[in-house]
């Protein structure tokens, strides 16, 4: 009887342990989905949060490209382990325009204010196209808020210096009614508080002043930055390389056979690169060179 009792207790203990483990796993699997508006800097800024409720990883704030709309581009691979915050910047998506100039500097201040509003001490930033300009400005102006930064298809200098000549030539011919921007136009009009404001925000956005970052600004960046572009991007590969050489703690990725819209169209090409950058190994082996021999486990 004593043996049977011990076996019964062992089974009960095992069932309890399994139940606790299952409960912990269930708790870890809970996903937070939240959306709302933050009153900051005179703006009612729309945001979305998506990711594991109990994540201990640093949150990732995604700043979309020019007319990107929160929720249109999602990152399932990244939200498995961390919370993703997406914003609609001034006059884009669900965030109504207000009577103030549209500048990248002001948009960076809005993003910083949103992080404080959400009580996020520090976040990694993912900036797509001009969203990358905003991300770098946040890091320059508010370094304490920023962990690691990914930019994709971003012009760090003047657009006429960063973009390919054929891209610039076509940009100059575009109007708010052009068929080539139909996706952006329809995405905006589907969610904007005032869909008829499209021509006005188009003009305002395309008049946003931008002279590029100075060498001094890039040189004093404290965050680690991944400069990523597609091999068929709007941005010249030479511009990405020049920028990589100016930022002290930076990495460079030219994604093969990828264009300017790879984050939406071909995530399978960029997510492995982004994931390794955001969650680097605790220990990195030195690179083998002509002075450092290659030895498995000691160099790479």
């Amino acid at each position: 009887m004593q043996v049977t009792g011990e076996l019964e207790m062992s089974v009960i203990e095992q069932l309890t342990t399994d139940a606790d483990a299952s409960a912990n796993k269930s708790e870890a699997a809970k996903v937070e989905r939240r959306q709302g508006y933050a009153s900051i800097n005179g703006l009612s800024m729309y945001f979305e949060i998506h990711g594991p409720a109990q994540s201990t990883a640093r949150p990732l704030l995604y700043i979309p490209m020019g007319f990107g709309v929160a929720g249109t581009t999602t990152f399932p691979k990244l939200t498995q382990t961390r919370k993703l915050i997406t914003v609609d910047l001034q006059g884009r998506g669900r965030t109504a325009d207000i009577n103030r100039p549209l500048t990248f500097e002001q948009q960076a201040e809005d993003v910083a204010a949103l992080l404080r509003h959400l009580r996020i001490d520090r976040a990694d930033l993912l900036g797509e196209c001009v969203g990358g300009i905003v991300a770098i400005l946040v890091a320059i102006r508010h370094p304490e808020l920023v962990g690691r930064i990914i930019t994709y298809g971003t012009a760090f200098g003047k657009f006429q210096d960063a973009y390919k000549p054929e891209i610039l030539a076509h940009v100059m011919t575009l109007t708010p009614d052009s068929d080539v921007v139909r996706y952006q136009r329809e995405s905006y009009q589907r969610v904007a508080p005032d869909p008829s404001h499209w021509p006005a925000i188009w003009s305002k956005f395309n008049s946003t002043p931008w002279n590029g970052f100075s060498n001094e600004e890039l040189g004093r960046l404290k965050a680690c930055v991944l400069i990523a572009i597609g091999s068929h991007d709007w941005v010249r590969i030479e511009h990405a390389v020049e920028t990589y050489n100016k930022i002290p703690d930076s990495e460079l990725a030219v994604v093969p056979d990828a264009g300017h819209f790879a984050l939406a169209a071909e995530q399978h090409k960029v997510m492995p690169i982004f994931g390794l950058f955001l969650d680097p190994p605790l220990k990195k082996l030195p690179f083998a060179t002509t002075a450092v021999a290659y030895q498995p486990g000691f160099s790479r």
Side-chain angles (χ1 to χ4, degrees):
M1 289 294 296
Q2 180 65 30
V3 172
T4 303
E6 288 176 355
L7 287 172
E8 288 174 348
M9 286 302 296
S10 176
V11 170
I12 292 170
E13 288 171 355
Q14 183 60 49
L15 288 172
T16 302
T17 301
D18 290 346
D20 289 344
S22 179
N24 291 336
K25 187 175 181 180
S26 177
E27 186 68 22
K30 286 183 179 177
V31 175
E32 177 183 356
R33 289 184 175 89
R34 183 154 61 104
Q35 57 191 39
Y37 291 85
S39 297
I40 50 174
N41 300 335
L43 196 69
S44 183
M45 176 180 270
Y46 178 81
F47 67 90
E48 294 184 359
I49 300 176
H50 178 215
Q54 301 301 318
S55 174
T56 58
R58 198 155 47 209
L60 177 66
L61 191 145
Y62 167 53
I63 309 172
M65 60 168 53
F67 290 104
V69 174
T72 301
T73 302
T74 59
F75 304 100
K77 291 289 185 183
L78 297 181
T79 52
Q80 287 178 0
T81 57
R82 66 177 70 230
K83 291 182 183 178
L84 177 75
I85 305 141
T86 308
V87 298
D88 283 343
L89 298 173
Q90 178 186 338
R92 269 66 59 80
R94 300 167 185 82
T95 301
D97 195 15
I98 59 175
N99 186 24
R100 73 175 186 190
L102 195 63
T103 68
F104 294 123
E105 291 79 6
Q106 181 59 63
Q107 291 169 79
E109 292 302 319
D110 295 340
V111 168
L114 176 66
L115 286 173
R116 293 194 172 100
H117 173 86
L118 296 174
R119 298 181 180 179
I120 295 174
D121 296 330
R122 208 170 202 203
D124 294 328
L125 305 182
L126 167 56
E128 183 179 11
C129 188
V130 294
I133 296 175
V134 176
I136 296 295
L137 282 166
V138 175
I140 290 172
R141 291 166 167 245
H142 305 277
E144 73 284 357
L145 293 176
V146 179
R148 298 169 79 82
I149 302 173
I150 299 172
T151 68
Y152 187 87
T154 295
F156 291 83
K158 296 178 180 179
F159 292 118
Q160 56 265 41
D161 297 331
Y163 282 174
K164 295 172 181 174
E166 62 272 23
I167 292 294
L168 283 171
H170 289 159
V171 164
M172 300 302 291
T173 67
L174 296 179
T175 72
D177 298 320
S178 294
D179 187 63
V180 77
V181 294
R182 182 175 62 180
Y183 176 77
Q184 289 83 351
R185 180 173 59 248
E186 291 178 350
S187 297
Y188 172 87
Q189 292 174 335
R190 188 166 51 247
V191 300
D194 179 9
S196 67
H197 191 65
W198 168 253
I201 193 61
W202 169 272
S203 177
K204 195 171 183 178
F205 173 78
N206 284 292
S207 301
T208 305
W210 180 239
N211 291 316
F213 294 105
S214 68
N215 291 342
E216 190 271 334
E217 286 175 319
L218 295 176
R220 61 184 170 89
L221 270 171
K222 298 188 185 307
C224 183
V225 180
L226 171 62
I227 302 161
I229 64 169
S231 60
H232 296 278
D233 211 307
W234 295 4
V235 175
R236 297 183 303 108
I237 292 176
E238 295 85 352
H239 176 74
V241 173
E242 290 165 5
T243 307
Y244 163 73
N245 287 325
K246 293 175 182 177
I247 299 177
D249 192 3
S250 63
E251 298 181 22
L252 176 65
V254 179
V255 184
D257 195 33
H260 194 58
F261 295 88
L263 269 63
E266 297 183 298
Q267 283 195 11
H268 63 283
K269 293 183 178 181
V270 295
M271 284 303 112
I273 299 170
F274 291 1
L276 284 172
F277 175 78
L278 292 171
D279 297 304
L282 295 177
K283 182 182 178 181
K284 286 189 176 183
L285 298 176
F287 289 105
T289 67
T290 52
V292 177
Y294 172 72
Q295 293 290 339
F298 293 94
S299 61
R300 55 189 170 119

